Each structure stands twice: as C-alpha cells, then as structure tokens.
C-alpha cells in the first residue's frame, strides 16, 4: 500500500548552533535550510513566518509569542532532550508538533555526572586551582572513596540508568526515585526504588535527572536538605553564593557538550524529520502521540473514515448548536487501540472550519475540550465483530449517530441515525443525504429537483425502513445551492463534500 506523508516540511530555520550533519541530511532530502543563530525574540518572531519547521537546542526560547507569530509552522524540533524552552501547550493548541531527540545526549550527560561525582569526592577542581596558584596542599584536599557509599538518583530515565550502572562499577550502592519507571525495571539495573522520604537520609551523594516541570522545580529545598545526611554531596547549583563556596564544584550546562552528543542529536532530529515527511514513522514527538499512531496506510484509511463521519454528523446537526458530547466507539480486534486517533479524526471532521488556527490531529482534542465538548472513547470486542467505528454526538439532548467501516481501502457508511444502509455507502466525493417517509413518488420528485438544478446523480443508496422513514444517500456532481428546494419532499436533508 502507498505510504502517505501526513506532515510536509519544506523550509526549516535552525536558530541554535547544531552539528552540520543536521543541515546536510535535511538538504539531501529536499528540505531548504536557513541557519540564523542568536536571534532576538523580535527577530525570531519576524523570521518564523516564512518557515514550516524550526530547529533549536536550549538557547532559543520558543515562547507563546513566537508560536503565535508563526503562520505556517508545523514542527518545532529540539536537538536534545529537554523541551522546557518550548511552550508545548501553545504549540499543541496551534497544531504544531514538538519533537525531541530523547537519547542523543544520554551518554555524554551521564559521563559528565560521573565526572562531577568523582571530582566532588576528591576535590579535583579545588586542588587544580590550588596547584595553579603555586601551592602543594595535600591536607586541605583530603577526599573520600566512593566505594561503599550510597548514590541517590532522582529520575530513573535514560540518563539516571546510565549514571547508575557506571557508578556501580566504583562499588557504590545506587538507590533512586521515579514516579514512572517501575521498581522492578530499575531493580534489573541495580537501583532500589523508594520514596523521597526514605531516600534523603540514606544518600552520600544525590544526582538529579528529571525534566524541568512544575512537579520537579525546587525538588531539593530547605525541607529536603534538612532530611539529608550532614555533608551530602549534590550536583551544581546556579545560585552564585553557592557556586563561590569552596566546597562547591560547578560548570555551566555542559551535559550535552561533546562532539559525539551534538552529532548524534543533529543526526537524530534530521533523520526523524525525514522519516516523518516520508510517512515512515513519527519518532520523538512529545505532544502528538495520536499522530504517531497514524503512520500506517491502514490507519490513514480509518482516519479518513473518522473525519468523514465527523463531517457527516456536523451537517446533520439541524439545531446548528455546538455539540456538548462526542462519543467514539471502536469495534473489532483490529481497532482495539484506535479509539484515540479515531476520536481525534472525528473531532477534526466535526469542528472543520471552526478554528482560526487550523485544526488537525495534534490539537483536535485540546481545542474540543477547551470549547466545552466532552469526549468519550470506548471499545467493544465481540467475538465475531468486524472492525467498525461508531460516532455519536449530542446537542442539547438530541443524539446523532453514524457508523462506518473501511472496505478495501475505502471508508464507507453503514448506518445513519438508526437506519442501516442496504449497501455500504462510499464516503467520498459530493454526497446528499435526506430522510423521508417511504413513498413511490419520492425518488422521481427528488430526481426532478436535482435535474432542474443541473445536478447529475452518480450513485444512490437507501437504508432499510426505520420508524416509517428511510435515509437516502445520493452521490452528486455538485452540491445543491439551495437545500430548502427539497424541503417539501423530505423531513431532513444535509449535504457535504468528503
Ligand atoms: O536537554 C538536553 O538535551 C540537555 O539539557 C542539553 O541541552 P543543550 O542542547 O542546550 O546542550
């Protein structure tokens, strides 16, 4: 099956110093690259308008203002791990993918941590300064072995794990805390997990490897230090009163400052972008998990169905009031994990044209929830149930419902508001739906109205009778300019282009 590129990136701005391999890979893949570093915020706001991709390290602050100025930005790529310099929430609302390279810096950051732990234990920087001053002071720099000491690791992700395994080779006991990594996983690489309360008093050394976010800001504070052993050793602070203390060793943000890490991150971000635009995979996206699961041709057809069902129920909503509830249910083993992206796709269809910023799978659920719509997702897995998707929406107590499936790559409608179509209706092209009481005069009369308006009929489907009424779907050459021409003949009518 043909691969599709859900996201196209043609022009990229690199605003921080990145390894040259990044630019080379992007250019080799047909992407135009502009490098402009040290831009002021206003300069970046002016520049960003012309680009659909922005690549940064941690120096460029991609704040909400900058994102607001971006007219066609689709991707913010962070060549590195931390995305605290990017306003991810603002990017998500605007439907912009934020992507990082989570592993490129791991080894370098872990090695620097080990270097700092060892320097702390043996006063290497202080002794170096003393030697440079012409001294030979051995007593002053009495150290302590790492062997048999306890290292507390806060954050047991990639870097925390690499630090642990390296420091274990010095005979250190490694303990740690992480709200996500399961204790049995960290145990398999020698780190015993415990609560922070239990951890503080046991540590001889503490190292922090958490992302910067509200829950981790100020993790080490007066209260936590009060629970620590006297003389506990911790990584460098930014506070200059502490930096200047004789027992403090510190360096600037150097964790990723190695040739290897920079080459890895530059290469990773470029290859991830190339993979994305070629439709191969979406790797490293921090705010677009839904999009990541849509990179197979199969899921793209289901996305087509979700959007089409959403568009159909949008035009069927005769009240024209906004929806208050959207419920998506998937059926069948094949769609077990698809309710998430089908829900987003349905919302893209339901809210089409209603967002100034543009609506896509990245921002659909966020924008829907912001406008007060409750989204429910579920899955039913009957023994012989074929894969299908049911969309129900409520408006002031009225419920509209449509269900469909994918038949040999084509999204089709199975049921509309309780009426099951005798043949599945292909959801593509220009479609006219109407509900009317069954009568022999109905179809000739409708055909007459269409012919008078110059509309040709491509195909026609009818549902089984439901409460005396039937739903009909007509594939038409163009949409009716005035739908009310059908009013005397039908009870309700809606038309759309899929
Ligand atoms: O988050 C990271 O990857 C590190 O903090 C490195 O940041 P840098 O790219 O600015 O060196």
């Amino acid at each position: 099956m043909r691969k599709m590129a859900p996201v196209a990136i043609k022009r990229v701005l690199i605003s921080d110093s990145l390894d040259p391999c990044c630019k080379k890979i992007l250019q080799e893949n047909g992407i135009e690259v502009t490098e402009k570093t040290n831009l002021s915020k206003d300069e970046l706001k002016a520049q960003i308008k012309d680009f659909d991709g922005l690549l940064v390290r941690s120096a460029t602050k991609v704040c909400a203002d900058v994102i607001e100025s971006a007219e066609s930005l689709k991707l913010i790529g962070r060549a590195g791990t931390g995305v605290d310099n990017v306003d991810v929430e603002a990017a998500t609302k605007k439907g912009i993918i934020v992507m990082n390279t989570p592993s490129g810096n791991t080894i370098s950051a872990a090695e620097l941590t080990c270097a700092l732990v060892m320097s702390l234990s043996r006063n290497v920087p202080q002794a170096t300064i003393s030697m440079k001053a012409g001294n030979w002071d051995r007593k002053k720099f009495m150290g302590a072995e790492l062997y048999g000491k306890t290292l507390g690791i806060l954050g047991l992700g990639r870097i925390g794990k690499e630090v642990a395994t390296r420091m274990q080779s010095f005979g250190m006991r490694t303990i740690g805390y992480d709200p996500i990594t399961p204790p049995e996983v960290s145990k398999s690489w020698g780190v015993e997990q415990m609560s922070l309360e239990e951890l503080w008093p046991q540590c001889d050394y503490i190292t922090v490897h958490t992302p910067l976010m509200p829950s981790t800001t100020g993790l080490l504070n007066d209260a936590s230090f009060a629970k620590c052993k006297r003389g506990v050793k911790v990584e460098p602070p930014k506070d200059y009163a502490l930096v200047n203390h004789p027992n403090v060793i510190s360096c600037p943000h150097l964790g990723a400052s190695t040739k290897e890490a920079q080459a890895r991150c530059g290469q990773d971000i470029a290859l991830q972008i190339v993979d994305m635009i070629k439709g191969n995979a979406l790797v490293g996206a921090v705010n677009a998990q839904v999009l990541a699961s849509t990179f197979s041709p199969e899921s793209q057809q289901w996305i087509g169905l979700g959007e089409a069902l959403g568009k159909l129920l949008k035009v069927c909503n005769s009240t024209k009031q906004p929806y208050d509830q959207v419920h998506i249910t998937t059926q069948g083993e094949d769609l077990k994990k698809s309710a998430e992206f089908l829900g987003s796709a349905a919302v893209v269809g339901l809210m089409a044209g209603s967002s100034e910023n543009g609506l896509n799978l990245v921002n659909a659920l966020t924008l829907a929830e912001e406008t007060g719509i409750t989204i429910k997702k579920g899955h039913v897995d009957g023994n012989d149930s074929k894969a299908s998707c049911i969309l129900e929406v409520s408006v002031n107590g009225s419920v509209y419902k449509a269900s469909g499936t994918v038949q040999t790559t084509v999204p089709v409608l199975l049921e509309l508001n309780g009426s099951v179509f005798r043949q599945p209706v292909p959801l593509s092209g220009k479609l006219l739906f109407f509900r009317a009481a069954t009568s022999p005069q109905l179809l000739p009369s409708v055909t007459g109205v269409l012919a008078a308006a110059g509309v040709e009929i491509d195909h026609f489907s009818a549902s089984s009778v439901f409460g005396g009424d039937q739903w009909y779907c007509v594939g038409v050459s163009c949409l009716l300019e005035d739908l009310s021409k059908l009013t005397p003949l039908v009870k309700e009518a809606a038309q759309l282009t899929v």
Side-chain angles (χ1 to χ4, degrees):
M1 256 182 265
R2 192 168 62 91
K3 272 191 202 142
M4 286 162 69
V7 185
I9 302 287
K10 295 196 174 104
R11 301 194 66 207
V12 162
L13 171 66
I14 298 182
S15 65
D16 283 333
S17 166
L18 257 63
D19 189 278
C21 71
C22 178
K23 181 176 177 181
K24 187 166 173 278
I25 295 170
L26 293 176
Q27 285 177 332
E28 281 168 1
N29 284 278
I31 296 174
E32 204 181 309
V33 181
T34 305
E35 281 177 294
K36 283 191 180 159
T37 53
N38 300 319
L39 295 174
S40 68
K41 184 172 158 184
D42 286 340
E43 285 168 337
L44 181 60
K45 280 168 70 175
Q47 289 287 329
I48 199 71
K49 294 189 193 326
D50 300 332
F51 296 92
D52 44 25
L54 170 67
L55 295 193
V56 300
R57 279 180 66 186
S58 60
T60 301
K61 304 299 170 216
V62 195
C63 55
D65 277 12
V66 170
I67 290 168
E68 200 41 54
S69 312
E71 285 163 12
S72 48
L73 198 64
K74 297 191 185 95
L75 170 89
I76 299 167
R78 159 69 161 112
T81 311
V83 286
D84 41 284
N85 56 318
V86 179
D87 191 328
V88 179
E89 201 183 320
T92 307
K93 276 190 196 163
K94 216 164 174 198
I96 299 169
I97 300 168
V98 179
M99 178 188 275
N100 70 351
T101 58
S103 50
N105 290 333
T106 304
I107 301 293
S108 292
E111 285 182 0
L112 180 67
T113 306
C114 298
L116 288 168
V117 171
M118 288 185 271
S119 301
L120 264 178
S121 70
R122 302 302 293 270
N123 305 304
V124 177
Q126 298 92 326
T128 304
I129 293 168
S130 169
M131 279 281 285
K132 284 185 196 294
N135 304 321
W136 185 263
D137 202 342
R138 295 179 63 197
K139 267 195 191 155
K140 193 172 171 192
F141 300 118
M142 176 64 77
E145 286 183 350
L146 294 175
Y147 181 80
K149 302 291 189 307
T150 298
L151 174 64
I153 306 171
L154 306 185
L156 297 166
R158 292 180 183 80
I159 300 174
K161 175 187 173 186
E162 296 301 330
V163 169
T165 52
R166 279 158 182 74
M167 297 320 292
Q168 284 156 12
S169 66
F170 282 80
M172 290 193 95
R173 175 182 171 234
T174 47
I175 61 175
Y177 171 79
D178 190 298
I180 295 166
T181 305
E184 58 279 13
V185 171
S186 63
K187 198 175 169 198
S188 71
W189 23 272
V191 179
E192 184 192 339
Q193 276 202 55
M194 57 189 68
S195 69
L196 288 172
E197 290 300 302
E198 290 171 288
L199 180 136
W200 300 127
Q202 298 189 45
C203 300
D204 298 295
Y205 293 79
I206 295 173
T207 182
V208 183
H209 302 285
T210 59
L212 182 64
M213 48 194 192
S215 61
T216 59
T217 304
L219 199 56
L220 287 165
N221 52 35
D222 287 351
S224 44
F225 275 126
K227 292 171 191 151
C228 288
K229 275 186 192 175
R230 197 170 167 75
V232 64
K233 296 181 173 64
V234 189
E235 274 192 285
K238 272 187 187 168
D239 177 342
Y240 268 78
L242 280 173
V243 170
N244 289 327
H245 190 282
N247 289 348
V248 169
I249 66 165
S250 64
C251 57
H253 194 68
L254 290 183
S257 297
T258 63
K259 283 197 174 122
E260 293 87 345
Q262 285 315 302
R264 241 181 257 127
C265 287
Q267 178 173 316
D268 284 358
I269 197 77
L271 291 177
Q272 285 171 205
I273 293 171
V274 171
D275 262 351
M276 179 181 77
I277 62 171
K278 288 190 171 171
N280 292 337
L282 181 63
V283 175
V286 299
N287 67 338
Q289 287 74 7
V290 165
L291 205 57
S293 54
T294 64
F295 270 66
S296 73
E298 293 80 10
S299 56
Q300 282 170 26
Q301 289 145 16
W302 285 98
I303 285 168
L305 173 70
E307 274 192 46
L309 293 180
K311 278 187 182 174
L312 174 59
L313 292 194
K314 177 184 158 83
V315 294
C316 282
N317 174 3
S318 50
T319 71
K320 303 298 168 211
Q321 298 293 310
Y323 297 106
D324 35 55
Q325 214 175 83
V326 173
H327 193 171
I328 191 100
T329 311
T330 51
Q331 265 182 333
E333 179 69 25
D334 291 353
L335 293 183
K336 208 166 187 164
K337 294 187 180 146
S338 308
E340 194 67 28
F341 72 73
L342 273 166
S344 299
V347 169
V348 169
L350 278 166
M351 292 179 62
S354 63
S355 161
E356 278 173 24
N357 285 338
L359 195 66
N360 61 22
L361 293 176
V362 178
N363 60 7
L365 293 188
T366 311
L367 295 182
E369 276 159 15
E370 222 172 53
T371 53
I373 301 173
T374 311
I375 317 270
K376 286 192 194 162
K377 291 160 237 157
H379 178 77
V380 182
D381 208 5
N383 279 348
D384 58 351
S385 64
K386 295 208 176 76
S388 67
C389 159
I390 304 157
L391 176 65
E392 279 174 89
V393 295
S394 323
V395 194
N396 291 338
S398 308
V399 177
Y400 298 85
K401 180 178 173 184
S403 75
T405 187
V406 171
Q407 277 189 343
T408 50
T409 78
V410 180
V412 293
L413 178 71
L414 299 172
E415 184 188 334
L416 180 61
N417 294 332
S419 297
V420 178
F421 280 88
R422 293 176 190 156
Q423 293 297 325
V425 181
L427 286 168
S428 72
K430 296 181 171 42
L431 302 171
L432 168 67
F433 286 85
F434 59 89
R435 178 173 69 87
T438 43
S439 111
Q441 292 80 38
L442 175 69
L443 293 180
S445 310
V446 170
T447 312
V449 170
L450 294 179
V455 178
E456 287 166 28
I457 296 177
D458 290 336
H459 57 84
F460 171 87
S461 319
S463 74
S464 47
V465 182
F466 183 77
D469 287 349
Q470 266 180 298
W471 271 100
Y472 298 88
C473 174
V474 188
V476 287
S477 58
C478 58
L479 299 183
L480 270 175
E481 267 177 37
D482 183 5
L483 206 51
S484 67
K485 290 217 164 102
L486 288 175
T487 309
L489 306 170
V490 304
K491 293 185 178 164
E492 57 183 309
Q495 56 183 352
L496 73 157
T497 304
V498 187

